[in-house]
Every structure is written in C-alpha cells, then in structure tokens.
Amino acid sequence: MAGAGRSSGALSRRDVLPPRLLPILYFGMAHLFLVAAFAVPALDPDAVAGFFYQPRTIAVVHLITLGWISASILGALYVIGPMALRMPMPVRPRDYAGFALFSMGALGMVGHFLIAGYGGVAWSAGLVVAGLLFVGARTAGALRKAPIHTAVKLHFLLAFANVAAAGVMGLLLALHKVRPFLPGQPLSNVYAHLHLAALGWACMMVFGAGYRMIPMVLPSAMPAGRSLFSSALLLQAGTLGLFVGFLLEKRFLLPSALLVMAGFAAFFREVRFMLRNRRRPAAWLVLPDYGVWHALQSMAYAALAALLGLTLCLLSSQERALRLAAVYGVVGLVGFLAQMVLGMQARILPMFAAYHANIEATCEAPPTTPRDMGSRRTGAAVFVLWSAGVPLLAGGMFLHSARLVGAAGGVLLAAAVLGAANAAAVLRHAFGNVRPPGPRRGTYRRWRRSAGTA
C-alpha cells in the first residue's frame, strides 16, 4: 500500500495536496455572495442608507459575514490545512453534506431577511450552525496531530467555539422577532451577536491563520514562542466581555474594548516581526503583489475599527453613536475582514490551483506556476476599486446619503465581479495544467520547495 513504509510523522506528496472540488464550491459560493452583497446597495441604495437595523441591511451584512467571510474561511481550511497547517483534510461524502447544510442555511437566512420572514431565518440559522459545527469537528480532529504551534491551534478551536455560540444567539434573536422572550434592548442583543461573530469567529480565525499564511504571503520568517498565545487570550477575553456587556452590564464595555485592542496589538506585534524578517520572494512571484497590498490595507482598517469601537464606548449622544456605528461596521466588516479574506485568496487560490495542475508533472515538463494565473491588470483594478469603495461606503452610511451609498455599491460591485472573474481564471488551472510555452526544467521542484517553506 502507498505510504505503508512511511514514518508516522512524515507527509506524502498526496497528503499535502488539498482536495479539489470542495474548496472550489466554497470559494465559488463566497464570490457569488459578495457580488450579491454589493449589488443590493448599487441597485437599491435607499433601502440600505439610513438606519442600519432593517431587513435589507441585515441581509447585506449576512451576505458579507456568512456568504463571503465564513464560506471563504471554510473553503480555505480544506486548502491551508494540508498546505500550511500540515494536517491532511481528505474529503468524504459527509463533507459535501456539511457544505450543503451551510450553503442552504446561508441562502435561506439571506432570502428570509430580504422578505422579513424571521421564522424562516430561525430554521436556516440551524442549518448554518450544523454546517459550521461539522467543519469545526473535522478541523479539531485534524489539528490534534498537526505539527504546529499550540497557540495557533488554540486560535482555531476558540474561533469555532465562538461561531457556534454566535450561531445559537442568532437563532434565538430570530425566534425573538417572531415571539419576543429575550430580555434587554433588541439593538444591544444584536450588537452582542455581531461582536461574538465578527471578533470571536472571523478575527480569531484571521489571527490564527495569519500566523501561518502571512509568512507564506510576504514571505517571511515564521513567528514562534509563547507570545503567540497573547492574541488568542486577550481577544477571547475582550470578546466575551463585550458579549456580556451588551447583554447585561454596560460598564464591562470599555475594559473589554481595551482588551480587544490589546489582542490586536499582540497580533500586530507578530506582524511587525514578520515584516522585519522578510525572506527572498519566490522566483515565481510577480511584483507588485496585490494580495499583500490588500492584506496591509485591511490591517490599517483593523486599527481604525478598533479606535472607532473604543470611541463608541465613550459616546453619550445616541444619534452620533448610531451614525458612527454604521461607519464602524463598514470599516470592520468590509475594510478589514472582507478585504483580508480577499488578500489571502489572492495567494491561496493560485497555490491551490498550481498544486493540482502539477500533481502529475515531472521535472522535464514545464510546470504551471502561480505567476501564470489570472490577470495582473484585473488584480490592480480590483485593488483600486476596493480602495475607493470602502471609504465611499463609510461616508454614505455616516451621512445617510443614498447617492453616496449607491455609488459605493457600484464601485464595490465592479470590484467583486472582476475579482470573481479573476478567481475563476485562476481556478480553471486546478482542472488541468495549462502550460505556458518554453522549457523551464527544474522549476517545478524549486517552486514546491519555496511554497512549502512555511
């Protein structure tokens, strides 16, 4: 049998190959949801501008958080698991069942939000939670034997625990809309749910994956040491404090916000270490690298979101707080989290496609490398459009201006459509080695060594 004589700690070439179809299904769904998210403000800005706690705006938020961010995370786990975390994630039929549960639930939630059918939101949320828990259980099982830092594993485990809690909270909120039973103010309950999902799930996952993926993206030295625990513990404590503060006791909000900021500071400290310990870029890397630009810009938005969140804890004017909360949501969800996902995909997808394109390649055959995939001009256009669209959308939400929101929606919709087209052009290589002309002997092995250094 293949690999019978291999030591238990070694991974074969097939072990580090991510599954092909399932990640593409997740990534494809994510891009469709992102296009739909920006199509709503582009086509109907009046329904989004103004007070954000309304069905159409909530649908857009879930298109971004569930459809783009969460679906991308789940698809990426099947890719970075074997490639970066050194944990094989072989796909079984039940993995496709998990995808079906998550995708049907996400579609059901968004659809029922659009028609304000909160009873349907509740059962759809149950499907989403089931899909997330399935992937969480798969990841936790694979992480046990993964030869990576324990702190990185902790980030992933906490992220799935938080998203399960956020999912249950979301289900309760949907049931409460049908038949009220939850104590407290409705908007405070929503804030608790949103922060548990955004900080406890998405940010925690970004931190954990970032410790492995950012060194591959830059490239740079891999961070190590006990300091990696700081971002997980501080962010978790701050997130739970905000959750309790919004639900029960407002005086917990300010110290919890400071803990969250300390968690971000701990993560940025490790990013600074990576930036100061850069390595020679891979031979196949073409500069400028727009994936890195997206990631760096998203970190700037993360810092801005942290400052806005701290400011919101200190504001006494309800009207100003609501206006600033809309900006805070745009900066945190679109500028930081959604754009970080975009930056990571810019590196993950070409590497994923190249692995599959070259799985049967030999040294004598010219390989397909990530530099052969996608369009550089399209990548540049996506970065420019995204850079213009986020501040435009934030301004429109702050001013309650339908004209600005519509313009921002159009700009970001163009970015999403171009990004989806570029992703499709990259992923087609996963189904066959579309080889460039000219011999390049030995390049494939050099590329594999450089891609596997992280």
Side-chain angles (χ1 to χ4, degrees), residues 340-359:
M340 177 62 79
V341 169
L342 192 65
M344 289 300 178
Q345 275 199 22
R347 182 59 60 85
I348 291 174
L349 297 190
M351 293 177 66
F352 163 75
Y355 265 80
H356 279 284
N358 296 301
I359 186 59

Side-chain angles (χ1 to χ4, degrees), residues 24 59 89 148 152 221 234 244 300 376 382 413:
I24 291 177
M89 294 274 286
I148 60 175
V152 176
L234 289 168
V244 173
R376 302 290 301 164
V382 170
L413 176 60

Side-chain angles (χ1 to χ4, degrees), residues 122-195:
W123 66 257
S124 299
L127 295 179
V128 169
V129 172
L132 287 167
L133 288 178
F134 171 80
V135 179
R138 289 278 283 114
T139 304
L143 275 174
R144 285 188 305 162
K145 298 181 180 180
I148 60 175
H149 200 291
T150 305
V152 176
K153 297 181 182 181
L154 180 63
H155 283 81
F156 283 95
L157 296 176
L158 288 175
F160 275 107
N162 290 330
V163 77
V168 172
M169 183 66 187
L171 192 153
L172 294 176
L173 288 173
L175 293 175
H176 177 76
K177 292 289 288 186
V178 178
R179 184 174 297 176
F181 65 95
L182 291 176
Q185 296 295 322
L187 203 54
S188 293
N189 294 340
V190 170
Y191 288 157
H193 163 68
L194 179 61
H195 282 81

